[in-house]
Amino acid sequence: MRFYTCLYSYGDFLETFLLFDQAVSVRERAFEIAKDCFPEGEKGLEYALTQLGICQARVSQFEKAEESLKKGFQLRAKLYDKDSSAYSHGLFSLGLLHHLKGELEEAQPLMEEHLKIFYRLPRVYRIDEGYYLTYHGALQRDLGKFEEASKTLEKAMELKDKLYGKGHPDLIETYIEYEKLLRMQGNLHKADIFKGKIENLTEQTRKKANLD
């Protein structure tokens, strides 16, 4: 169990720095261990499946991702209440998969239902708000809802800034999605400013983490 926990955390670490190619192999190994740690029908395996599937989707392994995420969601639907954080994260994972596959109309209701549940949860869960809003804002952008996307992504940046402080690698992905929005809006000057922020923050944080 300890080795599984270490691998799970290391996968999170790699994903924070957007090193998804490396994270996939770590998630795969964690899942193999999780199958021995968590007996079928008990809580635990769904987390390994979901995180593996999200990582697979990020590197465009869509068939594998769909299999992992659907299995993970089936377990979540069986083991958890539909008003729970675990169930809502399952909805999010499926919405993200559809978004990354370019299936925007399929992604939208899943993401919206996820946020409805998320905002009904106790405030302790709000630690993940900036993370979720980043992906929701990216979907709004790709749906052509630029004004809504701008507000969502700016709120995500504000929340992450407040939670982690400036210079934290968790901001990089939100900056990336915001830069894409700015370019789609034709605001190239501001987009270039964010591109510089992304490059500098990526270089600095990876160096500090000995990933350069």
Side-chain angles (χ1 to χ4, degrees):
M1 177 66 79
R2 184 176 296 177
F3 186 41
Y4 164 73
T5 303
C6 289
L7 284 173
Y8 192 95
S9 298
Y10 186 48
D12 287 346
F13 170 78
L14 291 171
E15 288 187 27
T16 297
F17 290 94
L18 310 184
L19 298 172
F20 296 106
D21 288 328
Q22 296 179 41
V24 166
S25 60
V26 174
R27 295 295 193 196
E28 288 173 342
R29 180 65 177 133
F31 172 62
E32 291 303 316
I33 295 172
K35 288 192 291 186
D36 293 327
C37 293
F38 305 109
E40 187 174 348
E42 293 187 14
K43 295 179 180 179
L45 188 61
E46 71 283 357
Y47 287 97
L49 273 167
T50 300
Q51 294 312 110
L52 171 60
I54 288 174
C55 206
Q56 289 168 329
R58 295 305 300 266
V59 296
S60 301
Q61 295 179 6
F62 293 130
E63 285 189 20
K64 290 182 178 179
E66 186 166 358
E67 182 180 359
S68 299
L69 292 174
K70 284 186 175 180
K71 285 182 179 178
F73 184 70
Q74 288 169 359
L75 285 172
R76 288 169 185 267
K78 182 178 180 180
L79 295 168
Y80 298 94
D81 188 272
K82 289 188 176 181
D83 289 324
S84 67
S85 171
Y87 183 83
S88 72
H89 187 69
L91 291 172
F92 163 79
S93 69
L94 292 175
L96 178 61
L97 172 63
H98 283 297
H99 183 191
L100 293 173
K101 290 173 68 178
E103 299 167 349
L104 305 184
E105 298 303 323
E106 291 84 351
Q108 186 176 11
L110 290 164
M111 289 293 205
E112 290 179 350
E113 183 62 23
H114 158 257
L115 280 183
K116 285 180 184 178
I117 298 171
F118 177 76
Y119 282 119
R120 292 199 297 263
L121 295 171
R123 290 196 64 83
V124 67
Y125 290 98
R126 296 293 175 86
I127 191 171
D128 292 322
E129 187 175 6
Y131 170 79
Y132 288 133
L133 287 181
T134 295
Y135 293 103
H136 190 66
L139 177 59
Q140 289 173 322
R141 177 202 64 215
D142 293 345
L143 285 165
K145 301 178 179 180
F146 293 161
E147 186 174 345
E148 293 177 36
S150 182
K151 291 179 181 178
T152 301
L153 290 169
E154 286 170 3
K155 183 176 180 181
M157 287 188 286
E158 180 184 345
L159 289 166
K160 287 188 174 185
D161 231 7
K162 185 177 180 181
L163 181 63
Y164 301 115
K166 294 185 184 296
H168 194 279
D170 264 316
L171 282 160
I172 296 171
E173 190 158 29
T174 310
Y175 286 170
I176 289 172
E177 301 299 349
Y178 191 59
E179 184 211 349
K180 290 178 184 177
L181 171 64
L182 293 169
R183 293 198 185 282
M184 291 172 75
Q185 291 177 307
N187 193 342
L188 302 184
H189 175 68
K190 191 172 181 180
D192 286 340
I193 291 174
F194 270 86
K195 182 181 179 182
K197 287 184 176 184
I198 292 163
E199 291 173 350
N200 291 335
L201 187 54
T202 300
E203 181 181 358
Q204 292 169 9
T205 54
R206 287 188 181 182
K207 186 175 183 180
K208 287 180 181 178
N210 295 316
L211 291 170
D212 55 341

